[in-house]
């Protein structure tokens, strides 16, 4: 087994495609094989934090729930705090909420009102960029607290869904692109 850094192609090969999950027509990108492989997991985190030096980010904001896994590990690498953006109704303290559109209906996510300070430098992380609705809602919450988004980073991106259109004005990066 090689101990060199994994390439994005290797990471892409490890992401498992599950057709018709959780419903017909969805090609679900299962990242659990990446997490289970020590070399791939740490390599993904290295790639996610690559543009940033420790100390240059105040908080890594992760999106419920798979985003937490990558954001928390990235926060430790960057010597930054970790802040969760959760599905509405899960955070115990006072929150700001943001609605966003789903294919059918809508959903809402929330952040604690004191999770970030004015001017904080934030790296926003999720596992996958699809239509961009979730990340755009999370970005709106970060901005509501007066923090500054340095980059929005994803493990993977379904580029044919044009999610970047909803995230205009922010640097966007994904390790793997479909
Ligand atoms: P969207 O708001 O459309 O960009 O959807 C992004 C969110 O939904 C992320 O938090 C992903 O974890 C999840 N998601 C959407 N599509 C997929 C997919 N094909 N495979 C895995 N997760 C997905």
């Amino acid at each position: 087994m090689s101990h060199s850094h994994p390439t994005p192609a290797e990471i892409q090969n490890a992401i498992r495609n599950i057709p018709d999950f959780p419903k017909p027509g969805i090609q679900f990108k299962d990242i659990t094989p990446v997490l289970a492989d020590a070399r791939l997991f740490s390599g993904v985190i290295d790639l996610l934090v690559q543009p940033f030096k420790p100390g240059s980010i105040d908080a890594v904001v992760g999106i419920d729930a798979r985003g937490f896994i990558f954001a928390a590990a990235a926060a430790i690498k960057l010597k930054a705090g970790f802040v969760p953006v959760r599905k509405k109704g899960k955070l115990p303290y006072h929150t700001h909420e943001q609605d966003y559109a789903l294919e059918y209906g809508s959903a809402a996510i929330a952040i604690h009102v004191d999770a970030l300070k004015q001017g904080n430098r934030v790296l926003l992380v999720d596992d996958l960029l699809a239509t961009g609705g979730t990340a755009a809602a999370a970005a709106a919450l970060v901005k509501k607290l007066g923090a500054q988004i340095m980059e929005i980073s994803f493990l993977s991106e379904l580029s044919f869904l044009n999610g970047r259109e909803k995230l205009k004005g922010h640097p966007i990066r994904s390790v793997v692109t479909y």
Side-chain angles (χ1 to χ4, degrees), residues 21 26-30 63-67 100-102 126-135 154 158 161 163:
F21 182 88
I26 305 287
Q27 303 286 327
F28 192 87
K29 302 303 179 196
D30 176 17
I63 303 177
D64 202 345
R66 287 179 297 277
Y100 60 101
L102 295 176
D126 201 2
D127 68 322
L128 184 137
L129 172 61
T131 67
T134 311
F154 302 91
L158 306 181
L161 294 176

Side-chain angles (χ1 to χ4, degrees), residues 40-135:
L40 293 183
F41 186 25
S42 74
V44 157
I45 302 303
D46 286 342
L47 288 167
L48 278 173
V49 305
Q50 195 182 287
F52 303 102
K53 288 193 171 62
S56 68
I57 295 290
D58 299 302
V60 183
V61 174
I63 303 177
D64 202 345
R66 287 179 297 277
F68 293 167
I69 302 163
F70 301 101
I76 290 173
K77 275 261 168 188
L78 292 171
K79 302 199 185 303
F82 166 75
V83 169
V85 163
R86 294 213 64 184
K87 308 240 165 74
K88 179 182 169 173
K90 298 286 187 185
L91 286 171
Y93 187 57
H94 302 296
T95 59
H96 293 302
E97 290 176 0
Q98 180 69 48
D99 292 323
Y100 60 101
L102 295 176
E103 195 180 353
Y104 300 103
S106 74
I109 51 176
I111 197 167
H112 274 155
V113 295
D114 60 353
L116 296 165
K117 292 190 181 67
Q118 188 91 22
N120 272 177
R121 297 159 300 174
V122 165
L123 173 63
L124 180 58
V125 172
D126 201 2
D127 68 322
L128 184 137
L129 172 61
T131 67
T134 311

